[in-house]
Amino acid sequence: DTEVTQTPKHLVMGMTNKKSLKCEQHMGHRAMYWYKQKAKKPPELMFVYSYEKLSINESVPSRFSPECPNSSLLNLHLHALQPEDSALYLCASSQALSGAFTDTQYFGPGTRLTVL
Amino acid sequence: AQSVTQPDIHITVSEGASLELRCNYSYGATPYLFWYVQSPGQGLQLLLKYFSGDTLVQGIKGFEAEFKRSQSSFNLRKPSVHWSDAAEYFCAVGRKAAGNKLTFGGGTRVLVKP
């Protein structure tokens, strides 16, 4: 089973709201990722977690706050977003960042975020 | 720095015809290469990957890809497309040293004519 689940599927929020996106996997993967994808563009990496610790932050604004409470769960907390943050937010997971080879990343279906 | 180029933004193909999507990469070390497919409003599904070994790789849904080091290419092929193959296709290079970061190409949108 290579399933990554994301909730909610769709989210509409105002610029003053606080909301959270959730990602879950039960494949025993120890690396998890957040990507942002604008329309007609490839995904852009935001954050990487390895063994529940933040490994990479691609200079993402602080209004995006990731959290990895356990090895199966990854959250993205949103606060004071801008309309230009509207996008598809994708979560992915892979076995681990250690080892000889680049690990295969498995993606969830995404959360379509609209900021009004 | 690594980069991935997908020269074709759009491709239209008739149902039952063959399909080839081009991917060229620039990377100093041994590349780890992936093809993903994305249906509208959906996440990315892994079609196939190349890490080492046989340069012709078989994937899901009848797709295959061939790694050609001399041409820095990793082209995706399917002998006979189905209407359900209409989607966006992304080629990507993975880099272990950079935290398993994937660098994606710009994508190729495939339209299938009946």
Side-chain angles (χ1 to χ4, degrees), chain A residues 35-98:
Chain A
Y35 288 84
K36 174 182 178 180
Q37 186 180 24
K38 301 285 277 185
K40 301 186 189 302
K41 296 290 187 183
E44 297 175 357
L45 183 66
M46 300 174 73
F47 303 103
V48 180
Y49 272 82
S50 176
Y51 292 88
E52 295 95 70
K53 286 186 169 41
L54 184 64
S55 175
I56 292 177
N57 177 341
E58 292 283 292
S59 303
V60 179
S62 59
R63 57 185 183 269
F64 295 91
S65 176
E67 180 197 20
C68 191
N70 60 59
S71 60
S72 301
L73 191 55
L74 184 67
N75 297 320
L76 186 63
H77 303 297
L78 314 172
H79 174 54
L81 293 194
Q82 304 297 310
E84 59 265 29
D85 296 321
S86 298
L88 182 68
Y89 287 84
L90 294 163
C91 175
S93 71
S94 69
Q95 280 198 311
L97 295 189
S98 59

Side-chain angles (χ1 to χ4, degrees), chain A residues 12-18 80-81 114-116:
Chain A
V12 180
M13 59 185 292
M15 289 190 284
T16 58
N17 293 156
K18 285 186 182 181
L81 293 194
T114 302
V115 182
L116 302 176

Side-chain angles (χ1 to χ4, degrees), chain A residues 33 37 58 101-102 104-105, chain B residues 36 38 51 96 100-101:
Chain A
Y33 311 76
Q37 186 180 24
E58 292 283 292
F101 298 108
T102 291
T104 301
Q105 293 183 32
Chain B
Y36 286 90
Q38 186 176 34
F51 283 4
K96 172 67 78 174
N100 207 34
K101 182 175 179 176

Side-chain angles (χ1 to χ4, degrees), chain B residues 30-75:
Chain B
T30 302
Y32 301 107
L33 297 159
F34 304 84
W35 275 101
Y36 286 90
V37 61
Q38 186 176 34
S39 297
Q42 301 297 312
L44 276 69
Q45 182 181 22
L46 178 70
L47 285 175
L48 47 77
K49 62 187 178 185
Y50 172 78
F51 283 4
S52 65
D54 193 347
T55 56
L56 186 62
V57 181
Q58 301 298 319
I60 63 171
K61 304 186 178 189
F63 284 93
E64 66 177 24
E66 186 170 12
F67 170 61
K68 292 186 177 180
R69 185 185 298 275
S70 61
Q71 298 177 20
S72 297
S73 70
F74 188 55
N75 293 349

Side-chain angles (χ1 to χ4, degrees), chain B residues 2-113:
Chain B
Q2 63 204 58
S3 66
V4 180
T5 302
Q6 294 179 244
D8 304 303
I9 297 175
H10 293 102
I11 284 182
T12 299
V13 60
S14 297
E15 191 167 15
S18 64
L19 175 68
E20 181 167 11
L21 304 183
R22 295 183 291 164
C23 173
N24 294 100
Y25 66 89
S26 171
Y27 188 54
T30 302
Y32 301 107
L33 297 159
F34 304 84
W35 275 101
Y36 286 90
V37 61
Q38 186 176 34
S39 297
Q42 301 297 312
L44 276 69
Q45 182 181 22
L46 178 70
L47 285 175
L48 47 77
K49 62 187 178 185
Y50 172 78
F51 283 4
S52 65
D54 193 347
T55 56
L56 186 62
V57 181
Q58 301 298 319
I60 63 171
K61 304 186 178 189
F63 284 93
E64 66 177 24
E66 186 170 12
F67 170 61
K68 292 186 177 180
R69 185 185 298 275
S70 61
Q71 298 177 20
S72 297
S73 70
F74 188 55
N75 293 349
L76 182 71
R77 298 192 293 254
K78 185 169 183 177
S80 176
V81 299
H82 186 262
W83 64 266
S84 60
D85 293 322
E88 187 90 23
Y89 291 79
F90 291 100
C91 180
V93 171
R95 189 170 170 218
K96 172 67 78 174
N100 207 34
K101 182 175 179 176
L102 286 177
T103 298
F104 287 91
T108 297
R109 179 162 296 279
V110 173
L111 304 174
V112 180
K113 293 191 301 185

